[in-house]
Amino acid sequence: MKVLEETLNARIPSGPLDQKWTRHQGELKLVSPNNKRKYTVIVVGTGLAGGSAAATLAELGYNVRSFCYQDSARRAHSIAAQGGINACKNYQNDGDSVRRFFYDTIKGGDFRSREANVYRLTELSTNIIDQCVAQGVPFAREYGGTLANRSFGGAQVSRTFYARGQTGQQLLLGCYQAMMRQVNAGKITLHPRTEMLDLVVANGRAIGIITRNLVTGQIEKHCADAVVLATGGYGNVFYLSTNAKGCNVTATFRAYRQGAYFANPCYTQIHPTCIPPHGEHQSKLTLMSESLRNDGRVWVPKKPGDRRPPDQIPDEERDYYLERLYPSYGNLAPRDIASRAAKRVVDEGRGVGPTGVGVYLDFRDAIRRLGEQNIAARYGNLFDMYQRITDENPYKVPMRIYPASHYTMGGLWVDYNLMSNIPGLFVIGEANFSDHGANRLGASALLQGLVDGYFVLPYTIGDYFARFKKLDATTDHPEFDQAEARVKDRIRTLLSINGRRTPDSFHRQLGQLVWDKCGMSRNADGLREAIAKIPEIRQEFWENVKVVGTGEDLNISLEQAGRVADFIELAELMCRDALAREESCGGHFREEHQTEDGEALRDDERFCHVSCWKSNGPDADPDLIIEPLAFENVQLVTRSYK
Amino acid sequence: MNLTLHVWRQQGPSAPGRLVTYQAKDVSPDQSFLEMLDGLNEELISRGEEPVAFDHDCREGICGSCGVVINGVAHGPEQTTTCQLHMRSFKDGDEIVIEPWRADPFPVIRDLMVDRSAFDRIIAAGGYVSINTGSAPEANGIPVRKEDADMAFDSATCIGCGACVAACKNASAMLFTSAKVAQLARLPQGQVERKRRVLNMVEQMDKEGFGNCSNYQECEAVCPKQISTQNIAVMNREYLRASLSGA
Ligand SMILES: Cc1cc2nc3c(=O)[nH]c(=O)nc-3n(C[C@H](O)[C@H](O)[C@H](O)COP(=O)(O)OP(=O)(O)OC[C@H]3O[C@@H](n4cnc5c(N)ncnc54)[C@H](O)[C@@H]3O)c2cc1C
Ligand code: FES
């Protein structure tokens, strides 16, 4: 591994923290209203980030081309978010403020995020609620007609806005409807069932993408004045995750191969409350919203191997381990901490359920206190979902939960303007690395997607247009032909192998390896083993994968194979990053670096930085570039939730 | 358990289709219906045959991607989405007929996959509040009665899967369209465009070739989100009012 001397300019504005964004906005260059219509922007992704960006850019007058792999923009993975969205409105008068939200986010991210970005995120959070309410998003309300809030995952104030257990759905439909209004106005062209397979870079600037029409198989070239990637996270690298089945890393990974830096790939979030896997046919894992931890109590038997049914285990023989270990946060301890604690008790042989991989989330006491009816009003749909999947009634028997891959903090590197190191390539939402450091707070991903798309990118993209000379937006550049040739070659190769193993079987194998070696806890030996093993999987994949059908047609096994191929390469990068980061922070837990009582041990001397990886192609080691993190407004302290 | 599947296979919109029989072996009751189909597809790919095409993504019953007709019922026997249907709803030896949504405005793309873009065009015709980013007033400046917010929410939970259309003899899209109309008509934010919205959305719905509603209520019976046909009554009222007074 080579560490390059290069300095990355994050373009963080000067001045006091609380004035940076306002000042910056005043200094950003503008494109005049009449000129905006001369610019075309490609937005890949229609989740909260891509949807809000596409709608807002179109409202401003830009021409937008919007891409997604689903049959409709409304189905992006954001739709599945359950719990809520944070904003420091302080409606509950419980002492919330931008400053407090800022601090909670910085601390939650274990001091591995940029102060300026986080401050902007929290500062703009209040505008997001205004915007969504004005669109008709039916957030939960109090009887007086005002908006309701709840406290969520590791926050001591109630700053989470929600729409029953379907917040993501309601927010996304708001975005989607705003987009459809612009489709109607002729400002957005939709390209559903279309997958981006490569990025086109000419003269150092992003000028377009290559896509495959998933119905006809046609490979198409699209040029534009700027490309925005809003393609979500890479949690499916673990195969089993709470992400939608189609979530993939292809768009961002192909951009990485074209020169965009990948930042902190080892920062992945394992969510503590998912339904445990049941068997080998399992295709995905289902999240049980973290809001359940407001009323459910997490426990396992004190004795290892205690197989008695839960109602026969008396209270004295139960270990409410989160309450015991973290008395001030209890069951609401942050995700990474709650997940590792669950892993620890399961590793001790105290896990529950048929596989022994699981812990209880028990509502007995809450039902006694509040009555079944109130619990049903709060969590009814989640309880129903749990029952449908497991065939167990959580009003009577405690839920069983276990951590699962959920979110990825790592992603393409961007500066304060959300632009990658390739001018003209912007990255927003979960696809970038920007705001959550080493661990994301619950209910802040929806926020980030919307802040990026509604209120940041639409300003900063104009600055790019105003500062850089306008290029001819045509597909005549030879780089388009080269990119198209790369894509076609790869498809041809995949179709010609005709081996014996399905793409899915490689994905499962890879997922298990990454989960074991680069999951909830990691160590140098395991990571080295994975780094040696992954190229073997890659080699076998390219010799033995079976893809049926042709390229010029709808072809599911070809789609899968392309995505798995990219996950294999990404997995190696993740492990390299995890090996290089010789400390524990947030979701990245290195067993060699822990305190006596098993908590994460950061090394601020050596690792208070963003690790940015530069590709040298699939067969050479990537180089590392470091962006140091400067903390001017908070003191780095050990993150304690005791 | 072991099952016999009769699956609709069709190469493209204009190609002829037919039911093809497959055996599904060693299916576990804890598997979801789509996991059972995954198993079939793995086997087909291994044999060098093309897998069965079907739409799916979230597998949590919320994105609205999935949806097939199972033994004549849209989404199968449990009034949930196809992805949330589990094999414990079937028993060893069952025969299962699996077909795509059948409705003219939803042409088959391949096998069990259909084109539902007509729904997007109905929303594009008016299913929104026209407010540009940045011009929103303070959120608590618009109080909404809890009852209204809750009712609007109930309508807003539609996932756009299209089961309502597939279940309707007339291939009516009234349940889908009315859910959006009713949601926005209930909220203060939706008032300004209330009349124009319903007229435009209904016009688009008709243009797409969806049929009329004859009150069979089959739509409600299959809706995985329990969207009520009361929404249709609301839409009819809204439509009448708007056409009488002019938008
Ligand atoms: C089950 C679950 C529950 C969650 N709950 C919450 C919550 O309560 N609160 C919270 O804040 N966060 C939550 N999160 C996290 C949050 O939902 C996501 O981080 C966020 O929605 C991501 O939004 P996005 O716009 O960045 O990407 P996504 O919504 O993932 O959208 C990605 C888009 O990119 C498109 N795309 C991807 N690859 C390609 C390609 N190669 N070509 C073309 N298009 C492509 C897709 O079609 C899609 O439109 C949850 C996540 C999960 C999994
Ligand atoms: S796959 Fe999303 S609703 Fe079934």
Side-chain angles (χ1 to χ4, degrees), chain A residues 445-522:
Chain A
L446 300 181
L447 175 65
Q448 185 222 333
L450 291 179
V451 164
D452 287 1
Y454 280 133
F455 291 116
V456 180
L457 177 94
Y459 292 103
T460 58
I461 207 168
D463 184 73
Y464 166 72
F465 292 144
R467 277 177 203 279
F468 282 70
K469 191 169 151 281
K470 191 168 173 7
L471 294 170
D472 287 341
T474 95
T475 53
D476 291 344
H477 297 274
E479 286 81 1
F480 268 102
D481 295 331
Q482 290 156 13
E484 183 188 32
R486 280 197 302 272
V487 165
K488 287 190 166 165
D489 267 357
R490 196 162 122 118
I491 291 177
R492 211 172 300 123
T493 311
L494 285 171
L495 287 164
S496 67
I497 299 165
N498 197 21
R500 281 184 313 276
R501 285 182 61 188
T502 63
D504 227 35
S505 79
F506 284 101
H507 198 173
R508 281 176 199 271
Q509 181 189 7
L510 178 77
Q512 189 65 53
L513 178 70
V514 188
W515 180 247
D516 289 344
K517 308 293 179 196
C518 197
M520 269 186 282
S521 72
R522 300 138 182 208

Side-chain angles (χ1 to χ4, degrees), chain A residues 44-50 67-70 76-78 80-84 152 194-196 230-232 242-243 248 250-251 287 406-407 429-431 440 443-446, chain B residues 60:
Chain A
V44 189
T46 59
L48 289 183
F67 295 80
C68 66
Y69 66 75
Q70 295 91 346
H77 165 60
S78 294
Q82 301 169 349
F152 198 78
T194 306
E195 183 159 24
M196 167 180 164
T231 49
T242 63
N243 288 14
N248 67 90
T250 293
L287 178 82
H406 176 63
Y407 180 87
E430 192 174 340
R440 173 177 68 80
S444 281
L446 300 181
Chain B
E60 292 192 4

Side-chain angles (χ1 to χ4, degrees), chain A residues 269-312:
Chain A
Q269 181 165 76
I270 310 298
H271 195 292
T273 55
C274 304
I275 302 179
H278 57 71
E280 58 189 276
H281 302 291
Q282 185 113 23
S283 63
K284 74 157 285 172
L285 296 172
T286 304
L287 178 82
M288 286 284 104
S289 169
E290 182 157 47
S291 58
L292 293 167
R293 289 202 275 146
N294 281 322
D295 288 305
R297 297 179 68 194
V298 176
W299 66 274
V300 289
K302 283 190 176 154
K303 248 191 355 251
D306 187 343
R307 307 309 279 169
R308 285 175 293 173
D311 59 346
Q312 288 170 30

Side-chain angles (χ1 to χ4, degrees), chain B:
Chain B
M1 57 188 158
N2 297 318
L3 303 159
T4 304
L5 310 177
H6 306 284
V7 184
W8 187 260
R9 305 296 314 250
Q10 180 175 344
Q11 267 298 334
S14 46
R18 66 193 175 96
L19 286 170
V20 177
T21 301
Y22 302 100
Q23 303 302 325
K25 297 217 174 67
D26 299 325
V27 174
S28 134
D30 286 332
Q31 270 178 278
S32 72
F33 194 83
L34 296 185
E35 283 167 355
M36 184 274 295
L37 285 181
D38 289 342
L40 171 67
N41 278 347
E42 286 288 285
E43 205 185 303
L44 291 177
I45 297 174
S46 304
R47 294 208 302 250
E49 291 176 40
E50 288 213 27
V52 178
F54 59 89
D55 273 315
H56 67 100
D57 203 24
C58 74
R59 299 201 173 192
E60 292 192 4
I62 192 73
C63 74
S65 294
C66 68
V68 296
V69 176
I70 300 165
N71 290 338
V73 181
H75 287 309
E78 304 285 348
Q79 202 184 353
T80 178
T81 56
T82 304
C83 61
Q84 290 292 290
L85 176 65
H86 283 76
M87 296 315 290
R88 66 180 79 93
S89 299
F90 300 88
K91 53 184 198 310
D92 189 40
D94 274 358
E95 305 225 353
I96 309 178
V97 180
I98 309 171
E99 297 167 277
W101 288 168
R102 295 199 188 278
D104 287 342
F106 288 167
V108 171
I109 293 175
R110 164 79 60 91
D111 301 337
L112 305 172
M113 211 179 243
V114 300
D115 178 355
R116 289 169 290 195
S117 54
F119 272 9
D120 289 323
R121 292 187 290 274
I122 293 176
I123 298 294
Y128 39 75
V129 174
S130 297
I131 175 129
N132 282 355
T133 306
S135 48
E138 154 58 37
N140 260 349
I142 322 172
V144 180
R145 288 195 324 143
K146 185 173 180 347
E147 295 77 6
D148 288 334
D150 286 349
M151 266 152 112
F153 179 87
D154 287 339
S155 304
T157 55
C158 167
I159 58 173
C161 63
C164 47
V165 174
C168 177
K169 292 188 183 57
N170 306 338
S172 168
M174 290 284 269
L175 194 64
F176 169 79
T177 310
S178 68
K180 190 49 67 187
V181 167
Q183 176 205 341
L184 295 176
R186 186 88 60 192
L187 294 171
Q189 296 90 327
Q191 297 311 309
V192 176
E193 297 165 286
R194 188 164 169 181
K195 292 179 188 166
R196 196 163 11 143
R197 175 180 308 116
V198 66
L199 295 176
N200 290 344
M201 289 179 75
V202 169
E203 185 189 325
Q204 187 64 37
M205 182 180 85
D206 293 341
K207 231 192 272 173
E208 298 289 347
F210 292 104
N212 280 324
C213 169
S214 349
N215 280 315
Y216 292 122
Q217 317 252 344
E218 298 283 354
C219 51
E220 187 183 294
V222 297
C223 176
K225 296 292 140 180
Q226 281 87 40
I227 304 285
S228 152
T229 45
Q230 276 173 6
N231 288 289
I232 299 182
V234 171
M235 182 163 84
N236 285 335
R237 236 176 12 245
E238 292 286 317
Y239 186 80
L240 194 67
R241 221 170 66 151
S243 18
L244 290 180
S245 68

Side-chain angles (χ1 to χ4, degrees), chain A residues 197-242:
Chain A
L197 293 179
D198 220 329
L199 176 75
V200 184
V201 181
N203 304 316
R205 290 165 64 180
I207 57 161
I209 60 173
I210 307 290
T211 61
R212 180 168 181 274
N213 179 317
L214 298 179
V215 177
T216 63
Q218 202 165 358
I219 304 297
E220 289 159 351
K221 305 173 190 167
H222 302 271
C223 57
D225 297 290
V227 175
V228 180
L229 298 186
T231 49
Y234 50 87
N236 273 350
V237 66
F238 294 104
Y239 186 76
L240 286 182
S241 91
T242 63

Side-chain angles (χ1 to χ4, degrees), chain A residues 52-71:
Chain A
S52 56
T56 307
L57 291 169
E59 287 166 8
L60 288 171
Y62 295 110
N63 305 302
V64 176
R65 292 198 187 173
S66 154
F67 295 80
C68 66
Y69 66 75
Q70 295 91 346
D71 70 328

